[in-house]
Amino acid sequence: MIYSKDLATPIEYLKGVGPVKAEALKKELKIHTFGDLLLHFPFRYVDKTKITEIADITEDSQFIQVRGKLTHLSTKGEGRGKRLVARIADQTSFVELVWFRGISYFEKFLQKGKEYLVFSKPTFFRGKPQFSHPEVEEITNPNIPLSSRLMPIYHSTEKLKAKKLDTRGLARIIQQLLQQLTALSIPEIFTEEFIGDQQLMARYDAFKNVHIPVSEKHIASARYRLKFEEFFCFQMRLLRTKNVRKKLEGIVFEELGEKFHGFYKENLGFELTNAQKRVLKEIRRDTMTGSQMNRLLQGDVGSGKTVVALMTMLMAIDNGYQACIMAPTEILAQQHYKSITEMVEGLDVKVDILTGSIKGKKRRNMLDYLELGLIDILVGTHALIEDSVKYKNLGIAIIDEQHRFGVEQRGRLWLKNTPAPHILVMTATPIPRTLAMTLYGDLDVSIIDELPPGRKPIVTLHRYDKDRLVVFGFLRQQLDKGQQAYIVYPLIEESENFDYKNLEDGYASITRAFPSPKYRVSIVHGQMHTVDKDFEMEQFVEGKTNILVATTVIEVGVNVPNASVMIIESAERFGLSQLHQLRGRVGRGADQAYCVLMTGHKITKHGKERIETMVATNDGFKIAEVDMTLRGPGDIQGLQQSGFAGLRMANIAKDQRILQRARSAATLLLDEDLELEKEEHAILKAFLQTQAEQLKLEWGRVS
Ligand code: ADP
Ligand code: MG
């Protein structure tokens, strides 16, 4: 938002907003200034000339308007249950309106026999529609004035509604604001030429039309303009980071030393794949140039990213630097800690782990060791980027599962050393290539597109619940061959009890079908204590149990090469990338692996497509493409968080086309004027700078 003086005015100075409302706006919607209020966009518009007949109201009805005569008005109930009930009738039927608050006001305002326009989203109570706390307007002039034909609908909250700031109340203060602002308060940030080339609505007009629309067409142009602007600024930030970075000083890893070579000769138990070698070369090249590396490593589950990460860290250590690797969950951090410790055995590399659960003296000691340089590799969770964590000389930071970390957090790692450490982000959630280019414009991309040899592609099958006995028979065969298996149940967030019951029932039937002592079953779920969870997991990892029954807590992190069967219950409830992640838990050894997707008979169309995709392919990139078309990229787990600060209206899922255009426009502009030094770009530059400050982007070197 620019950031003119007017727009920086605190919200309490707006007419109609006193200190009480201002407080509520700040608390509930983070609206502190005039500018913030302007950015509170409507999420929908209602055509006020459209009147729904009461008989046509259905459970699917959204915000609608009805028009009718008030036939009844009375209060019911006592004390807290007291409510005002009115009845409005048109020629087709009648509907009840209910108020629990503001009763005395509406009692006076509403009059029997008069005609009203009622606006609300109906709810159904005992099969009948009703409006609770609707907007009501008396019809005095039968012709509704045209200027207010399209009514913007705003998100509000219960607390705001109680302060008369429901959608209508918000509309009122926003209109008040727009009345007192002129085009000077909302200055254009693009040049006239640019506006013409891109065919954009002027900035001021866009804001005005979004909130006080003249027509549907105006709304469309206004929204296009605002989305374009958001994407453009977002791309400028990314592209400028990339460009500026080229000149950013980086640590030089002069040579490969005894640890790297020692690991390669003595500890690495297999031949690297060509893809792994290629990526290592790319990293080697980056770390010798004297510029900071910012690289994204994409590789499907099981493609062997960990060993690449480790060898990269050894490059740093050989050159006298420290390394850290950050994982999204404690379980995954533990797993990395364990496997890295094993892999560097005998190499005199000191590995330690820092997570949120490590506290007190232990933590303090460790932080001291770290600062003294007594730890070579620090494994951990988010805890690694906290301010209290100081390194002696951090040479490289590795982030596993990037989609859960944003640009900002990456930025904070930059600050852990001067010059900034090299950064390698790794992700197994493949993002379609086209999207990756636009999203990670600030990163160079490496891809491991090859699985270690000897892996047989996982065979994926779809089976219905009624065939469970056959599936269990198959599972028994596999277990009797000495293999292990996972059985996964979906996690239903809204109802933990049901979820738990689901899992418990499953567990019971599995222990019946696979009785002890011949078979042993572990169980892991989200409500368990870490100690118990770890114990059960440990049992499975060590091969002491044959089956691990779990909710999706095993999604990331578990690596048990001997497990060859993955059975996913109610598979239709999982998203594609989740299914793919889960499937990736098997097929890590030399044996043929199977993934069985269990579903009921009725599956939704999308559910079916997901299952079919899983059966058809093991290719994570293809799956990601399908996932994107089914859900839109915005829903792909965590994508919205990964550095999208500043996107208020634009949606990377739905607005791909605008994103592409904004990106090419940003590229062109930077080619022409990288530092935005030209006179005509001064406003844009100031705007971007203020925005960067506002978004608190801590990658400070970006001007
Ligand atoms: P991911 O990319 O999913 O993180 P991992 O790094 O966990 O994959 O590797 C999966 C398994 O493959 C590990 O057991 C690892 O030791 C093994 N692995 C990695 N690279 C190779 C290779 N080149 N040859 C054989 N096995 C490998
Ligand atoms: Mg991994």
Side-chain angles (χ1 to χ4, degrees), residues 297 304-314 325 398 424 426:
L297 172 54
K305 294 184 293 297
T306 315
V307 69
V308 172
L310 175 62
M311 292 177 76
T312 305
M313 294 195 282
L314 293 175
I325 176 164
I398 297 181
L424 180 69
M426 310 199 295

Side-chain angles (χ1 to χ4, degrees), residues 268-273 276 299-308 336 343 400-401 426 428 448 451-453 455 559 561 584-585 588:
L268 181 64
F270 42 74
E271 176 81 10
L272 292 174
T273 63
Q276 285 170 322
D300 216 338
V301 267
S303 62
K305 294 184 293 297
T306 315
V307 69
V308 172
H336 275 324
M343 284 194 283
D400 201 8
E401 292 306 315
M426 310 199 295
I448 303 187
L451 291 181
R455 297 262 177 88
N559 186 20
R585 294 303 112 206
R588 301 187 147 236

